[in-house]
Amino acid sequence: QKEVEQDPGPLSVPEGAIVSLNCTYSNSAFQYFMWYRQYSRKGPELLMYTYSSGNKEDGRFTAQVDKSSKYISLFIRDSQPSDSATYLCAMSEWGILTGGGNKLTFGTGTQLKVEL
Amino acid sequence: DTGVSQDPRHKITKRGQNVTFRCDPISEHNRLYWYRQTLGQGPEFLTYFQNEAQLEKSRLLSDRFSAERPKGSFSTLEIQRTEQGDSAMYLCASSHRQGVRNTEAFFGQGTRLTVV
């Protein structure tokens, strides 16, 4: 079983729809949660990061973390064709005392297509 | 500062040849990471450096792989005796650790390796 599970999609939605993307994880040591967007043949681009349970909002994007359920979500409001990309969740252990830093464990990514 | 830079962007090599990739992190970032991403999968951690010290290596990093960061700035990843299974996108990321805090990791565009 992978440490991070993510539905690969593809997910196709009409322009303007609300998109919900999700990941589950099994490692309780994960403390730091991120969402990256990756366009085809490009490197991942950081969208959101958080290190506490609850919601964090940035423009049209909301990241939600539920550590008790080991479940994270990314919501995209008013989706646009330019949002069409692969969305990767990523996680890391905080590693404060061990200096482990932010080595990331990624999900497989969900491919999203927003259609006109 | 234009972000994390990787060179080359694409590399096609014959099986058995050696290849070397270069990564220039964001200036002043003291942590540098290498990841590998195969088609349809999320990036997988390979190794990371803090300054010039290589602090962790994944078991994915076989003896044919070696990474260096000689002056704590740019890094190279060399693959010896390439195999077809090495075909992937090799991603570099950088972050900055100060005290007990890390910034988030920023990724480069990647080097796409094709072994024929």
Side-chain angles (χ1 to χ4, degrees):
Chain A
Q1 183 185 2
K2 291 185 177 181
E3 283 188 289
V4 180
E5 298 281 354
Q6 184 177 9
D7 186 338
L11 178 62
S12 183
V13 301
E15 183 179 9
I18 296 175
V19 176
S20 173
L21 304 166
N22 311 295
C23 288
T24 59
Y25 63 96
S26 56
N27 186 351
S28 299
F30 287 142
Q31 300 290 329
Y32 194 50
F33 303 92
M34 286 139 285
W35 286 94
Y36 283 83
R37 177 175 62 196
Q38 186 174 28
Y39 293 111
S40 181
R41 298 185 177 272
K42 301 289 186 183
E45 168 194 13
L46 181 68
L47 282 177
M48 300 282 287
Y49 70 94
T50 184
Y51 42 85
S52 58
S53 284
N55 294 350
K56 181 177 181 179
E57 190 173 318
D58 185 1
R60 296 185 296 112
F61 298 92
T62 299
Q64 189 174 79
V65 174
D66 182 348
K67 289 187 179 180
S68 63
S69 300
K70 297 189 180 68
Y71 187 88
I72 69 170
S73 300
L74 178 71
F75 298 96
I76 307 174
R77 291 183 297 281
D78 187 24
S79 55
Q80 303 296 310
S82 58
D83 295 328
S84 298
T86 295
Y87 290 79
L88 296 153
C89 63
M91 308 179 188
S92 72
E93 300 177 24
W94 201 230
I96 291 174
L97 296 181
T98 62
N102 53 353
K103 176 185 76 174
L104 301 176
T105 301
F106 283 86
T108 54
T110 299
Q111 188 178 354
L112 171 67
K113 184 173 183 180
V114 181
E115 302 194 14
L116 290 168
Chain B
D1 188 353
T2 57
V4 178
S5 177
Q6 292 188 246
D7 184 69
R9 292 291 309 280
H10 305 275
K11 178 71 176 179
I12 300 174
T13 191
K14 291 183 178 180
R15 188 174 51 190
Q17 296 295 304
N18 299 345
V19 294
T20 300
F21 311 140
R22 175 179 170 125
C23 172
D24 288 88
I26 294 172
S27 60
E28 298 179 358
H29 276 192
N30 53 16
R31 289 201 161 188
L32 186 148
Y33 305 78
W34 285 99
Y35 288 80
R36 180 173 67 188
Q37 185 176 25
T38 53
L39 197 63
Q41 299 297 316
E44 294 176 295
F45 170 79
L46 292 178
T47 188
Y48 90 93
F49 294 83
Q50 177 153 325
N51 299 313
E52 66 276 8
Q54 189 172 16
L55 296 187
E56 188 171 348
K57 293 195 295 185
S58 164
R59 63 180 185 278
L60 294 175
L61 212 65
S62 76
D63 292 344
R64 297 184 296 105
F65 288 70
S66 63
E68 294 183 342
R69 194 182 184 199
K71 296 183 180 179
S73 57
F74 73 92
S75 175
T76 58
L77 177 67
E78 181 183 17
I79 308 174
Q80 296 181 327
R81 304 181 303 281
T82 52
E83 301 173 357
Q84 286 189 322
D86 297 332
S87 296
M89 173 85 90
Y90 289 84
L91 293 162
C92 177
S94 71
S95 69
H96 190 73
R97 179 177 177 88
Q98 188 165 18
V100 296
R101 299 296 299 273
N102 288 302
T103 68
E104 58 272 25
F106 295 89
F107 282 82
Q109 302 271 40
T111 293
R112 182 167 295 280
L113 173 66
T114 302
V115 181
V116 297

